Coordinates of all heavy atoms in Angstrom, one line a residue:
M78 N 99.1 166.6 44.9 CA 97.8 166.8 44.4 C 97.7 168.1 43.6 O 98.2 169.1 44.0 CB 96.7 166.8 45.5 CG 95.3 166.9 45.0 SD 94.0 167.0 46.2 CE 94.5 165.8 47.4
I79 N 97.2 168.0 42.4 CA 97.1 169.2 41.5 C 95.7 169.8 41.8 O 94.7 169.2 41.6 CB 97.3 168.8 40.1 CG1 98.6 168.2 39.9 CG2 97.1 170.0 39.2 CD1 98.8 167.6 38.5
P80 N 95.7 171.1 42.1 CA 94.4 171.8 42.3 C 93.7 171.9 41.0 O 94.3 172.1 40.0 CB 94.8 173.2 42.8 CG 96.2 173.1 43.2 CD 96.8 172.0 42.4
K81 N 92.3 171.8 41.1 CA 91.5 172.0 39.9 C 90.6 173.2 40.1 O 90.0 173.4 41.2 CB 90.6 170.8 39.7 CG 91.3 169.5 39.6 CD 91.9 169.3 38.2 CE 92.5 167.9 38.1 NZ 93.1 167.6 36.9
K82 N 90.5 174.0 39.1 CA 89.6 175.2 39.2 C 88.2 174.8 39.0 O 87.9 174.0 38.1 CB 90.1 176.2 38.1 CG 89.4 177.5 38.1 CD 89.9 178.4 39.2 CE 89.3 179.8 39.2 NZ 89.5 180.5 40.4
I83 N 87.3 175.4 39.8 CA 85.9 175.1 39.6 C 85.1 176.4 39.4 O 85.6 177.5 39.8 CB 85.3 174.3 40.8 CG1 85.6 175.0 42.2 CG2 85.8 172.9 40.9 CD1 85.0 174.4 43.4
D84 N 84.0 176.3 38.8 CA 83.2 177.5 38.5 C 82.5 178.1 39.7 O 82.3 177.4 40.7 CB 82.2 177.2 37.3 CG 81.2 176.2 37.8 OD1 81.4 175.0 37.6 OD2 80.1 176.6 38.3
Q85 N 82.1 179.3 39.6 CA 81.5 180.1 40.7 C 80.2 179.4 41.2 O 79.9 179.4 42.4 CB 81.2 181.5 40.3 CG 80.9 182.4 41.4 CD 81.9 182.5 42.5 OE1 83.1 182.5 42.2 NE2 81.6 182.7 43.7
Q86 N 79.4 178.9 40.3 CA 78.1 178.2 40.7 C 78.4 177.0 41.6 O 77.8 176.8 42.6 CB 77.3 177.8 39.5 CG 76.0 177.1 39.8 CD 75.0 178.0 40.6 OE1 75.0 179.2 40.5 NE2 74.3 177.3 41.4
T87 N 79.4 176.2 41.2 CA 79.8 175.0 41.9 C 80.3 175.4 43.3 O 80.0 174.8 44.3 CB 80.8 174.2 41.2 OG1 80.3 173.9 39.9 CG2 81.2 173.0 41.9
V88 N 81.1 176.5 43.4 CA 81.6 177.0 44.7 C 80.4 177.4 45.6 O 80.4 177.0 46.7 CB 82.6 178.2 44.4 CG1 82.9 178.9 45.8 CG2 83.8 177.8 43.7
H89 N 79.5 178.1 45.0 CA 78.3 178.5 45.8 C 77.6 177.3 46.3 O 77.1 177.3 47.5 CB 77.4 179.4 44.9 CG 76.2 179.8 45.6 ND1 76.2 180.8 46.6 CD2 74.9 179.4 45.5 CE1 74.9 180.9 47.0 NE2 74.1 180.1 46.4
E90 N 77.4 176.3 45.5 CA 76.6 175.1 45.9 C 77.4 174.3 47.0 O 76.8 173.9 48.0 CB 76.4 174.2 44.7 CG 75.4 174.8 43.7 CD 75.2 174.0 42.5 OE1 75.8 172.9 42.4 OE2 74.5 174.5 41.5
I91 N 78.7 174.2 46.9 CA 79.5 173.5 47.9 C 79.5 174.3 49.2 O 79.3 173.7 50.3 CB 80.9 173.3 47.4 CG1 81.0 172.3 46.2 CG2 81.8 172.9 48.5 CD1 82.3 172.2 45.6
K92 N 79.6 175.6 49.1 CA 79.5 176.4 50.4 C 78.2 176.3 51.0 O 78.1 176.2 52.3 CB 79.7 177.9 50.0 CG 81.2 178.3 49.8 CD 81.3 179.8 49.6 CE 82.7 180.2 49.4 NZ 82.8 181.7 49.2
S93 N 77.1 176.2 50.3 CA 75.8 176.0 50.8 C 75.7 174.7 51.6 O 75.1 174.6 52.7 CB 74.7 176.1 49.7 OG 73.5 175.8 50.2
I94 N 76.2 173.6 51.0 CA 76.2 172.3 51.6 C 77.0 172.4 52.9 O 76.6 171.9 54.0 CB 76.7 171.2 50.7 CG1 75.8 171.0 49.5 CG2 77.0 169.9 51.4 CD1 76.4 170.2 48.4
L95 N 78.2 173.0 52.9 CA 79.0 173.0 54.1 C 78.4 173.9 55.2 O 78.6 173.5 56.4 CB 80.4 173.5 53.7 CG 81.3 172.6 52.8 CD1 82.5 173.3 52.4 CD2 81.5 171.3 53.5
Q96 N 77.7 174.9 54.8 CA 77.1 175.8 55.8 C 76.0 175.0 56.6 O 75.8 175.2 57.8 CB 76.5 177.0 55.2 CG 77.5 178.0 54.8 CD 77.0 179.3 54.1 OE1 75.8 179.2 53.6 NE2 77.8 180.3 54.0
K97 N 75.4 174.1 55.9 CA 74.4 173.2 56.6 C 75.0 172.3 57.6 O 74.4 171.9 58.6 CB 73.6 172.3 55.5 CG 72.7 173.1 54.6 CD 72.1 172.2 53.6 CE 71.3 173.1 52.6 NZ 70.7 172.2 51.5
L98 N 76.3 172.1 57.5 CA 77.1 171.3 58.4 C 77.8 172.2 59.4 O 78.7 171.7 60.2 CB 78.1 170.4 57.7 CG 77.5 169.4 56.7 CD1 78.6 168.7 55.9 CD2 76.7 168.3 57.5
N99 N 77.5 173.5 59.4 CA 78.2 174.5 60.2 C 79.7 174.6 60.0 O 80.5 174.8 60.9 CB 77.9 174.2 61.7 CG 76.5 174.4 62.1 OD1 75.8 175.3 61.5 ND2 75.9 173.6 62.9
I100 N 80.1 174.4 58.7 CA 81.5 174.5 58.4 C 81.7 175.8 57.6 O 81.1 175.9 56.5 CB 82.0 173.3 57.6 CG1 81.9 172.0 58.4 CG2 83.4 173.5 57.1 CD1 82.1 170.8 57.6
T101 N 82.4 176.7 58.1 CA 82.6 178.0 57.5 C 84.1 178.3 57.1 O 84.4 179.4 56.6 CB 82.1 179.1 58.4 OG1 82.8 179.1 59.6 CG2 80.6 179.0 58.6
H102 N 84.9 177.4 57.3 CA 86.4 177.6 57.0 C 86.5 177.7 55.5 O 85.7 177.1 54.7 CB 87.2 176.4 57.5 CG 87.4 176.4 58.9 ND1 86.4 176.0 59.8 CD2 88.5 176.6 59.7 CE1 86.9 176.1 61.0 NE2 88.2 176.5 61.0
A103 N 87.5 178.5 55.1 CA 87.7 178.7 53.7 C 88.4 177.5 53.0 O 88.2 177.3 51.8 CB 88.7 179.9 53.5
R104 N 89.1 176.7 53.8 CA 89.7 175.5 53.3 C 89.2 174.2 54.0 O 89.1 174.2 55.2 CB 91.2 175.5 53.5 CG 91.9 176.7 52.7 CD 93.4 176.7 53.0 NE 94.0 175.5 52.7 CZ 94.8 175.3 51.6 NH1 94.9 176.3 50.7 NH2 95.3 174.2 51.3
V105 N 88.7 173.2 53.2 CA 88.3 172.0 53.8 C 88.8 170.8 53.0 O 89.2 171.0 51.8 CB 86.7 171.9 53.8 CG1 86.1 172.9 54.7 CG2 86.2 172.0 52.4
L106 N 88.9 169.7 53.6 CA 89.4 168.4 53.0 C 88.2 167.5 53.0 O 87.7 167.1 54.1 CB 90.6 167.8 53.7 CG 91.1 166.5 53.2 CD1 91.6 166.6 51.7 CD2 92.1 165.9 54.1
I107 N 87.7 167.1 51.8 CA 86.6 166.2 51.7 C 87.1 164.8 51.3 O 87.7 164.7 50.2 CB 85.6 166.7 50.7 CG1 85.0 168.1 51.1 CG2 84.4 165.7 50.5 CD1 84.1 168.7 50.1
D108 N 86.9 163.8 52.1 CA 87.4 162.5 51.8 C 86.1 161.7 51.5 O 85.3 161.3 52.3 CB 88.1 161.9 53.0 CG 88.7 160.5 52.7 OD1 88.1 159.7 51.9 OD2 89.8 160.3 53.3
L109 N 86.0 161.4 50.2 CA 84.8 160.7 49.7 C 84.8 159.2 50.2 O 83.7 158.6 50.4 CB 84.6 160.8 48.2 CG 84.5 162.2 47.7 CD1 84.5 162.3 46.2 CD2 83.2 162.9 48.3
D110 N 86.0 158.6 50.3 CA 86.0 157.2 50.7 C 85.6 157.1 52.2 O 84.8 156.2 52.5 CB 87.4 156.7 50.6 CG 87.8 156.5 49.1 OD1 86.9 156.3 48.3 OD2 89.0 156.6 48.8
K111 N 86.1 158.0 53.0 CA 85.7 157.9 54.5 C 84.4 158.6 54.8 O 83.9 158.6 55.9 CB 86.9 158.5 55.3 CG 88.1 157.7 55.3 CD 89.2 158.4 56.1 CE 90.5 157.6 56.0 NZ 91.6 158.3 56.8
Q112 N 83.9 159.4 53.8 CA 82.7 160.2 53.9 C 82.9 161.2 55.1 O 82.0 161.3 55.9 CB 81.5 159.3 54.1 CG 81.2 158.4 52.9 CD 80.0 157.5 53.1 OE1 79.4 157.4 54.2 NE2 79.6 156.9 52.0
T113 N 84.0 161.9 55.1 CA 84.2 162.9 56.1 C 84.6 164.3 55.5 O 85.0 164.3 54.3 CB 85.4 162.5 57.0 OG1 86.6 162.3 56.2 CG2 85.1 161.2 57.7
V114 N 84.4 165.3 56.2 CA 84.8 166.7 55.9 C 85.6 167.2 57.0 O 85.2 167.2 58.2 CB 83.6 167.6 55.6 CG1 84.1 169.0 55.3 CG2 82.7 167.0 54.5
E115 N 86.8 167.7 56.7 CA 87.8 168.2 57.7 C 88.1 169.6 57.4 O 88.6 170.0 56.3 CB 89.0 167.4 57.7 CG 90.1 167.8 58.6 CD 91.4 167.0 58.5 OE1 91.3 165.8 58.0 OE2 92.4 167.5 58.9
A116 N 87.8 170.5 58.4 CA 88.1 171.9 58.2 C 89.6 172.1 58.4 O 90.1 171.5 59.4 CB 87.3 172.8 59.2
Q117 N 90.2 172.9 57.6 CA 91.7 173.0 57.7 C 92.0 174.5 58.1 O 91.3 175.4 57.7 CB 92.4 172.8 56.4 CG 92.2 171.3 55.9 CD 93.0 171.0 54.7 OE1 93.1 171.9 53.8 NE2 93.4 169.8 54.5
D118 N 93.0 174.6 59.0 CA 93.4 175.9 59.4 C 94.1 176.6 58.2 O 94.4 176.0 57.2 CB 94.4 175.8 60.6 CG 93.7 175.3 61.8 OD1 92.5 175.6 62.0 OD2 94.4 174.7 62.6
D119 N 94.3 177.9 58.4 CA 94.9 178.7 57.3 C 96.5 178.6 57.3 O 97.1 179.5 56.6 CB 94.5 180.1 57.4 CG 93.0 180.3 57.0 OD1 92.5 179.4 56.3 OD2 92.4 181.2 57.5
D120 N 97.1 177.7 58.0 CA 98.5 177.6 57.9 C 98.9 177.0 56.5 O 98.1 176.4 55.9 CB 99.1 176.7 59.0 CG 98.5 175.3 59.1 OD1 97.5 175.1 58.4 OD2 99.1 174.5 59.8
Y121 N 100.1 177.2 56.1 CA 100.5 176.8 54.8 C 101.5 175.6 54.9 O 102.3 175.5 55.7 CB 101.2 178.0 54.1 CG 100.3 179.2 54.0 CD1 100.3 180.2 54.9 CD2 99.4 179.2 53.0 CE1 99.5 181.3 54.7 CE2 98.5 180.2 52.8 CZ 98.5 181.3 53.7 OH 97.7 182.3 53.5
S122 N 101.3 174.7 53.9 CA 102.2 173.6 53.8 C 103.5 174.1 53.0 O 103.5 175.1 52.4 CB 101.6 172.5 53.0 OG 101.4 172.8 51.6
I123 N 104.5 173.2 53.1 CA 105.7 173.5 52.4 C 105.5 173.7 50.9 O 106.1 174.5 50.2 CB 106.8 172.5 52.7 CG1 108.2 172.9 52.1 CG2 106.4 171.1 52.1 CD1 108.8 174.2 52.7
D124 N 104.5 172.9 50.3 CA 104.2 173.0 48.9 C 103.6 174.4 48.6 O 103.9 174.9 47.6 CB 103.2 171.9 48.5 CG 103.8 170.5 48.5 OD1 105.0 170.4 48.4 OD2 103.0 169.5 48.7
D125 N 102.8 174.9 49.5 CA 102.2 176.2 49.3 C 103.3 177.3 49.3 O 103.3 178.2 48.5 CB 101.2 176.6 50.4 CG 100.0 175.7 50.3 OD1 99.6 175.3 49.2 OD2 99.4 175.5 51.4
L126 N 104.3 177.1 50.2 CA 105.4 178.1 50.3 C 106.3 178.0 49.1 O 106.7 179.0 48.5 CB 106.2 177.8 51.6 CG 105.4 178.1 52.9 CD1 106.3 177.6 54.0 CD2 105.0 179.5 53.0
L127 N 106.6 176.8 48.6 CA 107.4 176.7 47.4 C 106.7 177.2 46.2 O 107.3 177.8 45.3 CB 107.8 175.2 47.2 CG 108.7 174.6 48.2 CD1 108.9 173.1 48.0 CD2 110.1 175.3 48.2
E128 N 105.4 177.0 46.1 CA 104.7 177.5 44.9 C 104.7 179.1 45.0 O 104.9 179.7 44.0 CB 103.2 177.0 45.0 CG 102.4 177.5 43.8 CD 101.0 176.9 43.9 OE1 100.8 175.8 44.3 OE2 100.1 177.7 43.4
A129 N 104.5 179.6 46.1 CA 104.5 181.1 46.3 C 105.9 181.7 46.0 O 106.0 182.8 45.5 CB 104.1 181.5 47.7
A130 N 106.9 180.9 46.3 CA 108.3 181.4 46.0 C 108.5 181.8 44.6 O 109.2 182.8 44.3 CB 109.3 180.4 46.5
G131 N 107.9 181.1 43.7 CA 108.0 181.5 42.3 C 107.4 182.8 41.9 O 107.6 183.3 40.8
T132 N 106.5 183.3 42.7 CA 105.8 184.5 42.4 C 106.5 185.8 43.0 O 106.0 186.9 42.7 CB 104.3 184.5 43.0 OG1 104.4 184.4 44.4 CG2 103.6 183.3 42.4
L133 N 107.5 185.6 43.7 CA 108.2 186.7 44.3 C 109.4 187.2 43.3 O 110.0 186.4 42.7 CB 108.9 186.3 45.6 CG 108.0 185.9 46.7 CD1 108.8 185.5 48.0 CD2 107.0 187.0 47.1
S134 N 109.5 188.5 43.3 CA 110.7 189.0 42.6 C 111.9 188.7 43.4 O 111.8 188.5 44.6 CB 110.5 190.5 42.3 OG 110.6 191.2 43.6
P135 N 113.1 188.7 42.8 CA 114.3 188.5 43.6 C 114.5 189.5 44.7 O 114.9 189.1 45.8 CB 115.4 188.6 42.5 CG 114.8 188.2 41.2 CD 113.4 188.7 41.3
E136 N 114.1 190.7 44.4 CA 114.3 191.8 45.5 C 113.3 191.5 46.6 O 113.7 191.6 47.8 CB 114.0 193.2 44.9 CG 114.9 193.6 43.8 CD 114.7 193.0 42.4 OE1 113.5 192.6 42.2 OE2 115.6 193.1 41.6
R137 N 112.1 191.1 46.3 CA 111.1 190.8 47.4 C 111.5 189.6 48.1 O 111.3 189.5 49.3 CB 109.7 190.7 46.8 CG 108.7 190.4 47.8 CD 108.5 191.6 48.8 NE 107.5 191.2 49.7 CZ 107.6 191.4 51.1 NH1 108.7 191.9 51.6 NH2 106.7 191.0 51.9
G138 N 112.1 188.6 47.4 CA 112.5 187.4 48.0 C 113.6 187.7 49.0 O 113.6 187.1 50.1
K139 N 114.5 188.6 48.7 CA 115.6 188.9 49.6 C 115.0 189.6 50.9 O 115.4 189.4 52.0 CB 116.6 189.8 48.9 CG 117.8 190.2 49.9 CD 118.9 190.9 49.1 CE 120.0 191.4 50.0 NZ 120.0 191.2 51.4
E140 N 114.0 190.5 50.6 CA 113.4 191.2 51.8 C 112.7 190.2 52.7 O 112.8 190.3 53.9 CB 112.3 192.2 51.3 CG 112.9 193.4 50.6 CD 111.8 194.2 49.9 OE1 110.6 193.9 50.1 OE2 112.1 195.2 49.2
V141 N 112.0 189.2 52.2 CA 111.4 188.2 53.0 C 112.4 187.4 53.7 O 112.2 187.1 54.9 CB 110.5 187.3 52.1 CG1 110.0 186.1 52.9 CG2 109.3 188.0 51.5
L142 N 113.5 187.0 53.1 CA 114.5 186.2 53.7 C 115.2 187.0 54.8 O 115.4 186.5 55.9 CB 115.6 185.8 52.7 CG 116.7 184.9 53.2 CD1 116.1 183.6 53.8 CD2 117.7 184.6 52.1
D143 N 115.4 188.3 54.6 CA 116.0 189.1 55.7 C 115.0 189.2 56.9 O 115.5 189.1 58.0 CB 116.3 190.5 55.1 CG 117.4 190.6 54.2 OD1 118.2 189.6 54.1 OD2 117.5 191.5 53.4
E144 N 113.7 189.3 56.6 CA 112.7 189.4 57.7 C 112.7 188.1 58.5 O 112.6 188.1 59.7 CB 111.4 189.7 57.1 CG 110.3 189.8 58.2 CD 110.5 190.9 59.1 OE1 111.1 191.9 58.8 OE2 110.0 190.8 60.3
V145 N 112.8 187.0 57.8 CA 112.8 185.7 58.5 C 114.0 185.5 59.3 O 114.0 185.1 60.5 CB 112.7 184.5 57.4 CG1 113.1 183.2 58.1 CG2 111.4 184.4 56.8
N146 N 115.2 185.9 58.8 CA 116.4 185.9 59.6 C 116.3 186.8 60.8 O 116.8 186.4 61.9 CB 117.6 186.2 58.7 CG 117.9 185.2 57.7 OD1 117.7 184.0 58.0 ND2 118.5 185.5 56.6
R147 N 115.8 188.0 60.7 CA 115.6 188.9 61.9 C 114.7 188.2 62.9 O 115.0 188.3 64.1 CB 115.1 190.2 61.4 CG 116.1 191.2 60.9 CD 115.6 192.6 60.8 NE 114.4 192.7 59.9 CZ 114.6 192.9 58.6 NH1 115.7 193.0 58.0 NH2 113.5 193.0 57.8
S148 N 113.6 187.6 62.4 CA 112.7 187.0 63.4 C 113.3 185.8 64.1 O 113.1 185.6 65.3 CB 111.5 186.4 62.6 OG 110.7 187.5 62.0
R149 N 114.2 185.0 63.4 CA 114.9 183.9 64.1 C 115.8 184.5 65.1 O 116.0 183.8 66.2 CB 115.6 183.1 63.0 CG 114.7 182.3 62.2 CD 115.5 181.5 61.2 NE 114.6 180.6 60.4 CZ 114.9 180.0 59.3 NH1 116.1 180.1 58.8 NH2 114.1 179.2 58.7
E150 N 116.5 185.6 64.8 CA 117.4 186.1 65.8 C 116.6 186.6 67.1 O 117.1 186.4 68.2 CB 118.2 187.3 65.2 CG 119.2 186.9 64.2 CD 119.8 188.1 63.5 OE1 119.5 189.3 63.8 OE2 120.6 187.9 62.5
E151 N 115.4 187.1 66.9 CA 114.6 187.6 68.0 C 114.2 186.4 68.9 O 114.1 186.5 70.1 CB 113.4 188.4 67.5 CG 113.8 189.7 66.9 CD 112.6 190.4 66.3 OE1 111.5 189.9 66.4 OE2 112.8 191.5 65.7
W152 N 113.9 185.3 68.2 CA 113.5 184.1 69.0 C 114.6 183.5 69.8 O 114.3 182.8 70.8 CB 112.9 183.0 68.0 CG 111.7 183.4 67.3 CD1 110.8 184.3 67.7 CD2 111.2 182.9 66.1 NE1 109.7 184.4 66.8 CE2 109.9 183.5 65.8 CE3 111.6 181.9 65.2 CZ2 109.2 183.3 64.7 CZ3 110.8 181.6 64.1 CH2 109.6 182.3 63.9
D153 N 115.8 183.6 69.4 CA 117.0 183.1 70.1 C 117.3 184.0 71.3 O 117.2 184.2 72.2 CB 118.2 182.9 69.2 CG 118.0 181.9 68.2 OD1 117.2 181.0 68.4 OD2 118.7 182.0 67.1

């Protein structure tokens, strides 16, 4: 799914509607067919991670990879 940018006024109106339903999460999934709203946790999907990978410099990418490898060693 390709994200679409929306204007600030629309964001404000959507937040207002969600607050009436006691939904305060920053990320929600609205299914218009099922007429449901699902609050999503702030964990990241693989697509989010792959998209972010393009924004890292090679040096920063190596630092992140080194940190991940250190964390894995600690878990073992």
Side-chain angles (χ1 to χ4, degrees):
M78 182 183 318
I79 299 173
K81 303 280 186 184
K82 187 75 175 165
I83 55 178
D84 63 272
Q85 191 63 33
Q86 179 63 32
T87 302
V88 170
H89 178 73
E90 291 173 7
I91 292 171
K92 282 183 178 181
S93 177
I94 292 168
L95 293 174
Q96 285 176 347
K97 291 177 186 175
L98 299 171
N99 294 323
I100 298 173
T101 58
H102 286 74
R104 295 177 59 102
V105 295
L106 175 65
I107 300 172
D108 188 324
L109 299 175
D110 291 331
K111 294 180 183 177
Q112 298 181 348
T113 59
V114 176
E115 177 183 336
Q117 296 183 328
D118 293 329
D119 290 336
D120 58 345
Y121 298 100
S122 71
I123 188 66
D124 291 335
D125 294 330
L126 296 174
L127 290 173
E128 182 178 326
T132 64
L133 298 176
S134 68
E136 296 81 18
R137 181 66 183 131
K139 182 172 178 357
E140 291 173 6
V141 170
L142 185 57
D143 290 342
E144 181 64 29
V145 168
N146 289 332
R147 277 193 299 275
S148 296
R149 288 180 178 166
E150 288 172 6
E151 291 174 6
W152 292 340
D153 292 332

